[in-house]
Structures are given as structure tokens and as C-alpha cells.
Amino acid sequence: MNNKIADANSALKEISAQYPQLTPQLKKAADYVLEQPVNVALLSIRKSAEAAGVTPSTLTRLAKSVGFDRYDSFRQLFQTAVNTRQPASYFSDRAQYLQDMASNNPENKVFFEFADSAFNNLEQLFQEDTRNKLQQAAPLVINARKVFALGFRDTFTCAYHFTYVGSIAFPHIQLIRGYQGTLLSELGEIRKDDVVVAFSFEPYTTETVQAINIARNAGAKIIAITDSLRSPIASGAEITFTLNNDTPHFFPTLTSSIALMEALLAECVSIGSKEMVSNINRFEENIRHLGGYHEA
């Protein structure tokens, strides 16, 4: 077995990194593993192969491609992950309550569908795996020469909010704006000791994918916030957060992205220096001095 593959998350990350080079059949197998890791743990190789639309030997080849001699050893990682997963009761209880409310109030069905999807998305976010990744990501942000926040179209909102809030405490965080033909000039500032925090969800914007390729070539570390390990910004990323963005609305929700971004900044502040606290105080004092806050 590949010594680097110590747990299910490492296996998923390795499959994501190899995904662009896989054959069509192996991509089908990879799609299944990336999207249904719990089923990998629970189902036999034959049942998983049927669900994935491939042969059992294809799943075995996929396992071997990431360093396993046998599929059973590969599957064992996912069984361990499922057995050690922390139950999340609060959000699921709230979601059940909302569903009951919706059934009793049919005229408010859309409102309760929104609420239900929001709780489900946040339940998926607030898991032990997310906490572990936040603890890995925060030192990268704090210790980087510069941190570039990147997102286009709807996810520009996430990148902007991350930069606005984050730069109050950490002035080395800056936003990639890409206005009026300046994108390449801004991306040209990225160096190997930098970090890029990127937001992108299907359908993935061409500008984001191209920008991440430039950042990778510069040697920067990528923190990818996306919806799948198949995402083009996940490949080669140092840390990848995969979020649910389901909603009854016609456009994917950013609720989980904003919550994750704020959780990441909170983790950064919790391990920050005294200088970071001074930065926050200085910002607030300056805003008050300029009359930026309305006094009631």
C-alpha cells in the first residue's frame, strides 16, 4: 500500500489529483468513489461496481492506481471513516422539525424547503473532517507571504467577503478582482510562498480554472472551496473543502461557503499573534475616527 494513503480523505485527494489522466471507465469508477464514499464502505465490490456502472475489475484498477494491492484494503479506509464519524444530531433534528412544520403549513412550503436545504447543507459542513481541515488551513493562511482570494461571478461574493473580513486582522490577504483586463497582472504577483483561497462550484467558470492553473504553475498552495473532488480546482490543491450547495432556488446557494469562510477566519484569529489583535483594534479605531459608525 502507498504509505501516503493513510485514511479515506487521503485516498479521495489522490483520486482527485489523478482524475484528469484517468481513462473513461476509471473516471466512472472515480466519480462513484468521490460522490458516494459511504457506499464504498457499506457495499460489496460487486454492488459498488453495479452502482458505478463499471466492472469490479475497474474498481480494483482504481484502487491500485492510488497505491493499493487489493480493493478490500482500499475499502477498509472508508469503513474506518464511517465507523469513526461523529453523529450530528442538532441540525438533523432541526431539519426534521422544519419538515413537520412544512407538512402542517402547505402555504409556506417554499420557505420550509429553503430552511430544510440550508440545515442539510450546514449539517454536512459542520463535521469532524471539516474541523480537521480548518486546523490545517489556518496556519497556511497566517504564514503565507500573501493570501489571494479568488472567485468569479457568484463566488466573487465569497472571495470579497473573505478578503474584507480577513484583511482587517491579516493585511496580507488581498482580493483578485480581474477588473478591466487586470486579471493576468494580478495573477502575475503570485509566488511560491503564497496561498490562494479559491471558490468555484459547478458549472466551473473558465476564468477560475485558468487562474488556478497559473497559481499552481507559480508554486502557490491552493485552498479549494468547491462542491466535488472532481472539481478542476481540487486537483493538486493543498486542502480541499467539498460543500453541499443544494437549494430549491434556481441558483446554487452560497450559505455553506460563507459559513466555511467565516469559520476559517475564526480559526486563523484563534491562533493569531498579538500583532493581529493590534491590526483589528487599529482598523476599528480608524473607522470610528472617520465617523464610519453611526452612534445611536
Side-chain angles (χ1 to χ4, degrees), residues 120-259:
N120 288 336
N121 292 338
L122 290 173
E123 179 183 6
Q124 185 269 347
L125 170 64
F126 289 110
Q127 299 289 336
E128 185 72 10
D129 178 56
T130 304
R131 184 178 70 87
N132 293 337
K133 288 181 180 179
L134 287 171
Q135 291 176 338
Q136 297 169 30
L140 294 181
V141 171
I142 291 175
N143 297 322
R145 182 189 74 99
K146 286 187 178 181
V147 177
F148 295 88
L150 175 66
F152 294 106
R153 300 180 195 173
D154 59 322
T155 58
F156 183 82
T157 301
C158 303
Y160 178 87
H161 191 43
F162 178 82
T163 303
Y164 176 75
V165 178
S167 61
I168 294 172
F170 306 102
H172 68 302
I173 297 177
Q174 65 184 66
L175 177 66
I176 298 289
R177 296 180 180 273
Y179 289 162
Q180 298 177 337
T182 63
L183 178 58
L184 291 179
S185 298
E186 294 178 73
L187 294 173
E189 298 180 16
I190 298 175
R191 302 289 181 265
K192 65 179 181 180
D193 47 355
D194 294 337
V195 168
V196 175
V197 179
F199 300 83
S200 187
F201 300 92
E202 194 172 13
Y204 311 107
T205 62
T206 301
E207 298 95 329
T208 303
V209 175
Q210 292 174 340
I212 287 298
N213 288 336
I214 291 173
R216 283 197 202 102
N217 292 335
K221 292 181 173 64
I222 311 298
I223 297 175
I225 300 171
T226 187
D227 52 0
S228 168
L229 287 173
R230 290 183 297 152
S231 165
I233 75 166
S235 178
E238 191 76 12
I239 299 171
T240 300
F241 295 93
T242 53
L243 309 181
N244 283 356
N245 58 359
D246 297 332
T247 176
H249 186 36
F250 71 90
F251 214 76
T253 179
L254 297 177
T255 302
S256 296
S257 305
I258 297 295

